[in-house]
Amino acid sequence: YKLLFHKKISQELSHTPYGGVVPELASRLHAKALPKILEEVKEFLPHIKAVAVTTHPGLSVTLLEGVMMAKALHLALDIPLIGVNHLVGHIYSLFIEKEVLFPLDVLLVSGGHTMILKAKDLEEIELIASTLDDSFGESFDKVAKMMGLGYPGGPIIEKLAQEGDSERFKFPIPLKNSKKLAFSFSGLKNAVRLKIEELSPLSYQDKCDISASFQKSAIEHLLQKSKKAVASKKLAIVGGASANLKLRERFKEEFDILTTKLEFCSDNAAMIGRVGVELYKRGRFTPLEELKATPKNGFT
Ligand code: KG4
Ligand code: ZN
């Protein structure tokens, strides 16, 4: 297999003024983007053997649009359908240009999830730890919003943090004294909120220092729990927030990390296609009447 064509039509800038994804807007933008992509891949259509599509977890309206498009292709081209789990997709982002390599301990950090997983096979993934409240990426989005910096917060906070002093504020490291194998970001987020209220109006340097200090606590929390949960020296890190270079740098001090190219960290179709290839090889197709968007499902 080989990646023949890949394109990402990002909506991020459209959601920036709102400080988060607005479902209605996301849906309308998908309705515009999907036919546009289809037009660009026209030349490949006669050669396509199957169509893979994300069914869960995710935002209901946008999952539905993808599923509808996949069903139309299935009927028009008479090719099988393959429903793909978004989280499995993030794991397979590691293998877009490589052979699959299991077993693997995985830290998944995105806008919707923060998890440690033990992946033994495509269909054998065990959840070791997850978050009690916000996700890692979401906490960056919320902190950015509190400082009026826009969406998505991850890259913005990371950039400001480069010019900031991470020692200026001593934000708590979540669940530091707890044996629990779990993540939590809401307490840290609230500590940041209080500091912002205390200092407002914020100078540019305040914003950089808050970003750096917050990022440091958030990453230390990930690292502490990862060390507790993972016995192996090898750790894969995937998901939108795995693009964070500070996170990669810090984890490298404790683990041999496995990551994907920056362009494949955040949500993309190549990772879904990669899972599609594996399921295709196993003949694991999804009948039309069984293919449904199930936004809230996890690994089922
Ligand atoms: O995987 P993804 O594209 O979408 C979900 O499945 O949620 O992840 C998006 C999340 C957003 O919360 C975004 O702020 C975060 O990943 N993110 C980052 C960075 N780049 C993206 N978080 C921290 N540092 C980054 N450099
Ligand atoms: Zn994702």
Side-chain angles (χ1 to χ4, degrees):
Y1 60 87
K2 204 171 135 201
L3 183 62
L4 294 179
F5 174 93
H6 180 233
K7 179 154 182 173
K8 185 162 169 155
I9 299 181
S10 175
Q11 310 188 347
E12 281 172 351
L13 287 178
S14 309
H15 297 284
T16 294
Y18 309 102
V21 172
V22 182
E24 168 69 23
L25 181 59
S27 170
R28 264 190 284 133
L29 292 172
H30 263 66
K32 255 205 233 166
L34 284 171
K36 211 189 235 167
I37 292 267
L38 197 57
E39 191 152 41
E40 286 188 47
V41 299
K42 249 183 181 165
E43 59 174 303
F44 299 106
L45 293 184
H47 315 291
I48 285 178
K49 296 250 173 39
V51 53
V53 63
T54 308
T55 51
H56 64 287
L59 191 62
S60 159
V61 279
T62 46
L63 288 173
L64 265 175
E65 283 169 311
V67 163
M68 274 163 54
M69 173 68 91
K71 285 184 175 176
L73 285 169
H74 157 75
L75 290 170
L77 302 173
D78 200 17
I79 50 174
L81 279 166
I82 303 175
V84 175
N85 180 307
H86 176 73
L87 304 175
V88 177
H90 274 302
I91 298 176
Y92 274 74
S93 70
L94 297 165
F95 312 129
I96 288 169
E97 284 152 335
K98 283 194 201 85
E99 280 305 321
V100 175
L101 177 88
F102 283 136
L104 210 50
D105 293 300
V106 182
L107 172 66
L108 188 156
V109 272
S110 71
H113 298 84
T114 307
M115 296 173 157
I116 294 176
L117 306 158
K118 210 173 231 337
K120 295 189 181 135
D121 177 71
L122 172 60
E123 294 166 284
E124 211 182 319
I125 298 169
E126 191 190 344
L127 178 63
I128 306 293
S130 61
T131 179
L132 304 171
D133 39 63
D134 294 344
S135 78
F136 180 77
E138 189 181 9
S139 71
F140 279 66
D141 296 333
K142 289 184 175 171
V143 166
K145 191 176 180 183
M146 286 184 233
M147 295 196 282
L149 298 171
Y151 175 88
I156 304 171
I157 296 282
E158 181 180 15
K159 190 147 179 286
L160 289 182
Q162 286 166 0
E163 296 175 59
D165 173 7
S166 64
E167 300 299 322
R168 179 164 162 209
F169 306 110
K170 296 273 176 285
F171 293 130
I173 298 172
L175 304 177
K176 190 181 164 187
N177 300 313
S178 161
K179 286 202 165 56
K180 232 185 213 161
L181 278 186
F183 298 103
S184 168
F185 292 93
S186 70
L188 171 60
K189 175 191 70 188
N190 283 326
V192 174
R193 185 195 305 282
L194 290 176
K195 187 52 74 181
I196 290 171
E197 283 169 10
E198 181 192 320
L199 296 179
S200 282
L202 301 179
S203 69
Y204 180 72
Q205 195 56 50
D206 289 337
K207 290 179 188 172
C208 294
D209 295 344
I210 287 171
S211 296
S213 305
F214 155 73
Q215 178 176 261
K216 185 174 178 195
S217 287
I219 293 174
E220 284 313 308
H221 173 42
L222 285 183
L223 189 62
Q224 282 181 4
K225 294 301 177 188
S226 300
K227 278 163 70 179
K228 217 185 262 294
V230 179
S232 149
K233 198 82 188 104
K234 202 171 82 186
L235 178 68
I237 313 179
V238 301
S242 69
N244 187 296
L245 297 179
K246 200 74 193 172
L247 183 155
R248 291 181 175 206
E249 186 187 302
R250 188 68 185 97
F251 268 77
K252 269 185 202 157
E253 294 171 21
E254 306 285 346
F255 291 99
D256 296 323
I257 65 166
L258 191 65
T259 49
T260 186
K261 281 185 184 168
L262 291 181
E263 64 168 313
F264 297 135
C265 289
S266 62
D267 292 351
N268 64 83
M271 69 188 197
I272 304 303
R274 185 66 183 84
V275 179
V277 168
E278 286 309 305
L279 288 169
Y280 184 89
K281 284 198 242 168
R282 297 177 190 199
R284 299 272 280 147
F285 305 127
T286 320
L288 176 70
E289 61 282 4
E290 280 174 33
L291 189 85
K292 287 191 180 76
T294 50
K296 298 227 176 311
N297 283 1
F299 274 104
T300 52

